Structure formats: C-alpha cells, structure tokens
Amino acid sequence: MSRIPLRIQPMTRWSAAVNTVGLLAVGWVLWRVAPETAPWVVWLFGAGLAAWAVRMMLAVRIAADSGDLAPQPDWEAVPAGRPAAGSRGAQAWAAAILLAVMGIAGSLTAVPTQGLGTALLVVAMIMLTGDPAVPSGLWLPAAILGALGVTAGALLTAAGFAGSVTPSALGLITILAALALAVFVGLGRRAQRVLLAERERASAEALRAQAAAHRIAIARDLHDVLAHSLGGLVVQLDAVEALLDAGDTEKAAARVAVARGLAVEGLGEAREAVRALREPEPERGSGSADPVPPAVVESRIRALIAAEQGVRLGVTGFSRPVSAALAEALVRAVQEGLSNARKHAPGAAVQVGLVWHPDRVECTIENPVSAAPAQDRALAATGGGYGLRGVRERFAVLGGTVQAGVEPGASQGQERDADRFVLRAEAPA
C-alpha cells in the first residue's frame, strides 16, 4: 500500500469545542433549509458533517494518546513507544477519505444550500493546505477541484435538481472568493507550523550540542587528571618495587612519599575539575575571568615538572598576562606531554619550552624517541589518543593550533642522531 501524505492533526479540547459549536450551528441551519432543498443535497451535506465530526473525534483521540498537541512535520516524528489511534497508514487513509468527503460535499452543496456548504469546503481546504506533511503543490489541484465542484453544484441548481433555490452570480463569486481565502489561510498555517517545527528542531539540536560539549569537557578534565596522577603513581611504584628488590628501603620509602604526594595532588585536581564543572561559567568581565600573570603560569608548569626526573623548563621572550583559558590550556599541554613521555619514553630526558612571541605564546614538550624494551613501556598500552585530542580542543577554542609527531634531530643534551617526539601548541596571546 502506497504512502499517502496526509494525516489527522492532533486537536486540543478547546479547538474541538469550537469545532463542535460550528458543526452544530451548521447542522441546525441545514435542518431549517432542508425543506427547500433536494434530498440528495441534504444527505450529501449530512455526510460531510459526519466526516467533519469523525475527523474531529479522531484528532482529539490522537492528541490524548500521543500526549503531544504540537503539529508534527512528518509521520516519522510521532514519538516511539506511544499509543496511536491506528497505524500510520490507516490514519493516512482515514485523513484522505474524510477530507475527500468534506470537500466533495461542501463544493457540490455550497450553491444549493445558499452558501452553507461553503463552511465544509473552507474547513477541508484549510486542513489540507495547512498540513506540512502534504506536498506544497497539492493545494492548486485541490483548489481547482473545489472550484469545479462549486460550479457543478451551481449548474445542478440552475437546472432545478437541487430544490427551489435560485442561484446567483454574486453568490457564486462569493463562494469562490471564500475558497481562495481558505487556501491562503491554510498556507499561512502551514508556514507557521513549519517555522515552529524548525525552531523546535534547532532548540533540540542546541541542547544536544550543549550536552555533548559538557560530556567532552568532563572527559577531557578527567583524562588530564587521571593520566597525569595515575601515570606518575605507576612510575613511582615501579621504582619502589625495583628499590625494594635491591634492598634499598630508604630510597623506596622516599619514592612512596612521592607517590603519596602525587595521589593527593590528583585528588585535589579531581575536586577542582568537579567544582569547575558544577559551577556556572563566569560572565565576561567578572573577576574569575581576569588575566593570569605569566609568573603564575610558569609556577604551575614548574610544579608539574618538579616531581619528574630529567625534565627541564626553558622560558624565552617577553612574557605577559594571558587569559585563564589560555593559562589552563598551556598547563594541560605540558601535563599531556609529560604523560606521553612517561608512557612512551620512560626515563628519557624531557625538554619543556615556553616561548613568548610578540603576538602569541608557544609551548613545546619534546623527548627522544625511546628504544626501550616493551616491558619497560607498560604504560604505552594505556594510551587511547584522548589526551592529544583534548589539548587540540582546548587550543582550537582559543584560535590556536596543536602539532604532535616525530621530528628529526635531537633534544638538548641528547645524541645528535636521535629523533625526537615533539608536542607543539600555540595560541594568540
């Protein structure tokens, strides 16, 4: 069975009450003029009223079952798992048949009932042209068929087949004008519904994007905390194990103290990350968004490398205050570079550089490519690539770039022929 692009729009009880009043008023007028019209006119018009009433009851039932009174732009938008008044195909056929009965009855009886049938024709045309699920070009053939039906009813009336009613040219023009007005009203309702659906879709997309950004921020911060603190703990515990095997309990105890400090530091950073995620973002110009002095940035970086072995920091250029976001990004870049060096080049010297250019700040973390055996690089298997992705995301927001890869040449103090792995991040400052 082919898909019919029609449906019964959900209707509120208030709209149903208004339609009921209109239906009863039209029915009462039909009962008053019935003696002056032919029986076929009364029966045909009654069929149109019955179709109107059935469509109204189905619309109220659909609204109550779906719990959604807003017009849906497509059949696919019907909420899954909710009850519906019949299948989609059945609703489509019901909508088509009821509209056809209303349109035929209204157009053929408009002139014989002295314009009373125009109410059915107008309601059917507004329902047809106002539904976004109906192709936009369908209104023209529907309007032409309606006009032909009105003309046919006028010819039957003029021939005396519709009772004692006498047709008039003015009445015919008035009915056709009402038909044209119904088309324009329906098209206006269609545009309003499409606009409403687009706004709701855009709002939903914005909410999904906001939720995705929030999840990414949580994952990025947790990765930064866990990768640095837990990676450092693994290194220290490995060293403790080696020292205990060698019988050097004094140095092993010192390593345990360092491991404890890393654990405390990791817990503190985790709490800070949770606090930052739970609190609203600071407004522009607020005190929490004030520039960060370069000394604070350098001190945070030095605190990171203090617990590492063989890590040197070099600072060049004229330093200046930076935004809090850029300061955080620089610290996280160094943190990620140290974690990568610890994973892939354990025990190798690491060179951290902070270069202040006139228009930007550049941070580099480089270490020689490790040739250590696989058993000495157990942390390498824990990498998932999320750390570098998080660094790129942080600098992308600031208009910066991040590059990571193996470059020829050696770091300072290393063998000349050794290659090096470099993480280079820069952003406007």
Side-chain angles (χ1 to χ4, degrees), residues 83-412:
S87 65
R88 296 176 181 178
Q91 290 185 22
W93 279 104
I97 293 172
L98 294 175
L99 276 182
V101 172
M102 291 176 63
I104 293 172
S107 60
L108 290 178
T109 62
V111 175
T113 57
Q114 297 182 349
L116 184 61
T118 308
L120 282 177
L121 181 60
V122 166
V123 171
M125 189 59 62
I126 291 177
M127 290 180 177
L128 179 66
T129 57
D131 189 352
V134 179
S136 57
L138 191 61
W139 67 269
L140 182 58
I144 293 175
L145 290 176
L148 292 177
V150 172
T151 303
L155 293 177
L156 291 174
T157 303
F161 293 104
S164 60
V165 179
T166 302
S168 65
L170 180 60
L172 179 62
I173 294 174
T174 302
I175 293 172
L176 294 177
L179 175 62
L181 181 62
V183 171
F184 286 111
V185 171
L187 293 178
R189 293 184 64 184
R190 168 194 286 268
Q192 183 180 9
R193 287 172 172 173
V194 170
L195 180 60
L196 178 61
E198 290 296 332
R199 288 179 177 175
E200 292 178 350
R201 187 178 296 109
S203 178
E205 290 293 336
L207 289 176
R208 281 193 291 269
Q210 184 179 4
H214 189 62
R215 289 195 301 269
I216 291 173
I218 294 174
R220 185 171 59 227
D221 288 348
L222 290 180
H223 175 276
D224 291 342
V225 172
L226 295 177
H228 178 69
S229 59
L230 295 184
L233 281 173
V234 171
V235 171
Q236 297 299 327
L237 292 177
D238 286 343
V240 169
E241 183 180 6
L243 291 171
L244 289 177
D245 290 340
D248 194 343
T249 56
E250 184 177 351
K251 290 184 178 180
R255 291 284 186 173
V256 171
V258 174
R260 182 181 182 279
L262 287 174
V264 173
E265 178 186 354
L267 287 174
E269 290 185 357
R271 293 191 186 97
E272 182 65 20
V274 172
R275 183 196 62 78
L277 290 171
R278 290 180 64 88
E279 293 182 356
E281 296 182 356
E283 299 180 357
R284 296 182 179 273
S286 63
S288 57
D290 290 341
V292 178
V296 175
V297 179
E298 295 179 14
S299 65
R300 291 186 63 185
I301 294 176
R302 293 186 187 278
L304 282 176
I305 67 178
E308 304 287 341
Q309 297 293 329
V311 181
R312 295 187 301 273
L313 172 64
V315 181
T316 59
F318 181 74
S319 61
R320 54 195 175 277
V322 296
S323 66
L326 180 53
E328 184 68 19
L330 292 171
V331 173
R332 295 302 183 183
V334 174
Q335 193 176 60
E336 177 60 23
L338 295 177
S339 298
N340 285 337
R342 188 187 301 128
K343 289 178 182 179
H344 302 285
V350 180
Q351 179 66 34
V352 179
L354 192 61
V355 183
W356 297 90
H357 298 280
D359 58 342
R360 69 189 191 282
V361 59
E362 178 184 0
C363 181
T364 59
I365 306 94
E366 58 182 78
N367 57 268
V369 177
S370 176
Q375 61 268 24
D376 294 337
R377 293 185 286 115
L379 279 175
T382 64
Y386 297 110
L388 288 177
R389 184 186 303 178
V391 174
R392 288 191 175 96
E393 290 170 352
R394 290 181 186 275
F395 278 84
V397 172
L398 302 172
T401 58
V402 175
Q403 297 176 348
V406 178
E407 297 183 2
S411 302
Q412 296 180 5

